[in-house]
Amino acid sequence: MFKGHPKGLYVLFFTEMWERFGFYTMLSIFVYYMQENFGWDASTATNVYGIFLAGVYFTPIIGGWIADNLLGYGKTITLGAIVIAIGYALMAVPTDSATQLYTALVVVCIGNGLFKANISVLVGNLYAHSQGSLKDAGYSIFYMGINIGAFYAPMAAAGIRRFTMNNFDASLAQGYNAGFLIAAAGMIISLIIFVVFRKMYSNADYRAKEKENVKIDATLTKGQEKERIIALVTIFAIVIFFWMAFHQNGSALSLFARDYTHKIVGSFTYLLFDIVGLHAILFVLLGGTVAIGKGSSQRKGIGVLFAIIGLIVIILKVNTLSDVNEIDPEMFQSFNPMFIVLLTPLLVGWFGHLNKRGKEPSSPAKIGIGMVITAIAYIIMIGAAQGLAPVNSLEGEGSAITVSTYWLITTYFTLTIAELHLSPMGLSFVSKVAPPKMKGLMMGGWFGATSVGNYLAGFVGRFYQNWELWQFFLLLVITSLFAAILVRIFLKKLKHATE
């Protein structure tokens, strides 16, 4: 999986991992914090959530232009990391003022705009334009780093909240403030890694306007540039529907986890929500995969050892846990990144196998497949919602009828498969197709499309509040299938743009 990739990829991997750790630590508690600290209802909190995410992913358009034309990618990323850390630190300060919260959110948006698109450009610049399939795999590995950070973020948020409340007589809202401070610490670690190990990716930190690199950048005519920009704008418009559906993980799905899902579970299910138990399961899965896969006998032996250790810990945990265990709703946020870490090697291997046989789908085709799988994920949620009362009938309390945690876990598993077909492939597609002198701007355009989708994720939150639950999830099924149809209609033109 890692064979043939440049060393700079691993620096960018860990830089993004810690940045995303900070971001998802903040995001996993953001809606809860607004409701607890300001007393806002679900409609108001999810709308602010959507506007914030729109800002986070719109500003990379500006940040990409700044990197392309003024500062370059490395300097812009460094500045962005500093600004993001300041924003999280502002959120960590307890307040009754919504203005202070909005100010902090604006600062985070500005910093993210400088950081997000440009680090993705650096990843693409590590590869020659002839290494299309390897670049897809590189972005998948990079994306796995994103999600390792996201995996640990909810655990950190829940752990620091409990620690602060238990040891400092803090309120629930102040426990969430402590979570924002952890987010700032993650961002500082990201900055240190990026600055200290600059030499390993410095060859990728160049601007096409200043330095021609025929190995990495394709030479294009004006007509080809126009065709590629049209293809990018088309794909940007289509993926809006994915992000609208996917980012319900921080709004509607988080609220569903809190209000409609069993809070008390048995010992085996609790392993999935316990830090030690969850890592033991990962040891078994990853160790077992290494043990039965290709490699040296020493490598397989290490895999067997990890699997045995994990199995022993699972047995001990199950025997020491009671049959009644309370789970934190924040912990559902760990499933998506965990599944990405587990599934990325499998998907990279699968696409590599198809590539050798000349049957690997193009990046746009993978995006279309991802949209169909997104629709399947929300069909699962329609099943979960059967017989549940609408949100507006709960009067601020949890539902009297709750459903198994496995409904949400299965939904997150399905959404993860969809995401792996779409998000890293989209980044790779932009890197392949963007005219060399517009890399930052076009990568910013990808995140701009994400911005619109994220705003819509919050906008449709009002329907979650006021419609029957199954009607809300059906809306997401319909919009996802509509996007898949659009990909199919424009597929030939999108594929031609990469040739």
Side-chain angles (χ1 to χ4, degrees), residues 19-34 45-46 48-54 56-57 88 91 105 108-109 112 149-150 153-154 157 176 179-180 182-184 243 246-251 254-255 329-330 333 336 412 454 457:
E19 184 273 329
R20 290 290 91 180
F21 169 82
F23 180 74
Y24 283 105
T25 297
M26 182 275 292
L27 206 63
S28 67
I29 56 177
F30 183 37
V31 170
Y32 301 148
Y33 171 71
M34 288 187 289
T46 55
V48 173
Y49 168 88
I51 293 171
F52 167 67
L53 283 183
V56 162
Y57 288 99
Y88 292 154
M91 294 182 74
L105 295 179
V108 172
C109 288
N112 194 82
Y176 292 140
F180 299 140
I182 294 296
W243 294 115
F246 178 78
H247 273 292
Q248 296 303 324
N249 60 356
S251 54
S254 284
L255 296 174
E330 300 102 313
Q333 294 287 327
N336 169 248
Y412 278 123
N454 289 341

Side-chain angles (χ1 to χ4, degrees), residues 140-419:
S140 292
I141 293 170
F142 176 70
Y143 204 73
M144 188 167 67
I146 291 173
N147 285 279
I148 291 174
F151 170 66
Y152 286 105
M155 300 178 191
I160 195 66
R161 170 180 59 78
R162 289 193 298 268
F163 178 81
T164 304
M165 293 175 68
N166 292 338
N167 293 277
F168 297 98
D169 195 28
S171 66
L172 178 56
Q174 289 170 334
Y176 292 140
N177 287 128
F180 299 140
L181 188 61
I182 294 296
M187 195 64 247
I188 292 170
I189 295 172
S190 172
L191 174 62
I192 293 171
I193 292 171
F194 186 72
V195 172
V196 170
F197 296 99
R198 185 183 183 280
K199 282 187 177 181
M200 296 179 70
Y201 63 82
S202 59
N203 63 311
D205 188 11
Y206 73 93
R207 291 187 291 163
K209 289 185 177 181
E210 296 178 339
K211 174 184 175 182
E212 186 177 4
N213 193 326
V214 294
K215 182 180 178 181
I216 293 177
D217 300 325
T219 302
L220 305 174
T221 65
K222 290 291 183 182
Q224 288 174 319
E225 285 190 357
K226 181 179 179 181
E227 180 186 22
R228 289 183 171 218
I229 291 172
I230 292 172
L232 287 170
V233 171
T234 301
I235 210 71
F236 294 162
I238 292 170
V239 299
I240 285 172
F241 295 101
F242 172 75
W243 294 115
M244 182 185 77
F246 178 78
H247 273 292
Q248 296 303 324
N249 60 356
S251 54
L253 294 181
S254 284
L255 296 174
F256 190 93
R258 186 189 66 186
D259 298 332
Y260 292 100
T261 302
H262 295 338
K263 292 181 175 62
I264 305 299
V265 297
S267 56
F268 180 77
T269 299
Y270 186 72
L271 288 176
L272 297 170
F273 296 86
D274 175 77
I275 294 177
V276 175
L278 189 55
H279 280 81
I281 293 172
L282 290 175
F283 269 44
V284 172
L285 293 175
L286 295 174
T289 301
V290 171
I292 64 176
K294 296 180 180 179
S296 65
S297 57
Q298 182 180 7
R299 185 171 181 266
K300 290 184 177 182
I302 293 173
V304 170
L305 178 62
F306 270 72
I308 292 173
I309 292 172
L311 187 60
I312 292 172
V313 172
I314 288 173
I315 294 171
L316 291 174
K317 287 291 292 186
V318 169
N319 288 330
T320 55
L321 290 170
S322 70
D323 293 330
V324 178
N325 304 278
E326 185 174 359
I327 60 174
D328 296 311
E330 300 102 313
M331 290 299 293
F332 279 97
Q333 294 287 327
S334 287
F335 286 108
N336 169 248
M338 178 185 73
F339 289 141
I340 282 180
V341 173
L342 291 174
L343 293 175
T344 292
L346 298 178
L347 212 61
V348 169
W350 172 243
F351 287 141
H353 171 71
L354 292 178
N355 181 262
K356 290 178 182 178
R357 300 178 62 187
K359 295 183 178 181
E360 182 181 9
S362 64
S363 296
K366 292 173 185 175
I367 290 172
I369 294 168
M371 293 308 312
V372 174
I373 299 172
T374 303
I376 294 172
Y378 283 104
I379 290 173
I380 294 170
M381 285 307 300
I382 291 175
Q386 297 304 304
L388 297 179
V391 174
N392 57 16
S393 69
L394 299 183
E395 298 181 352
E397 302 293 330
S399 173
I401 301 173
T402 57
V403 299
S404 168
T405 58
Y406 290 100
W407 283 104
L408 270 179
I409 292 171
T410 305
T411 298
Y412 278 123
F413 180 81
T414 310
L415 278 175
T416 299
I417 298 174
E419 184 184 5

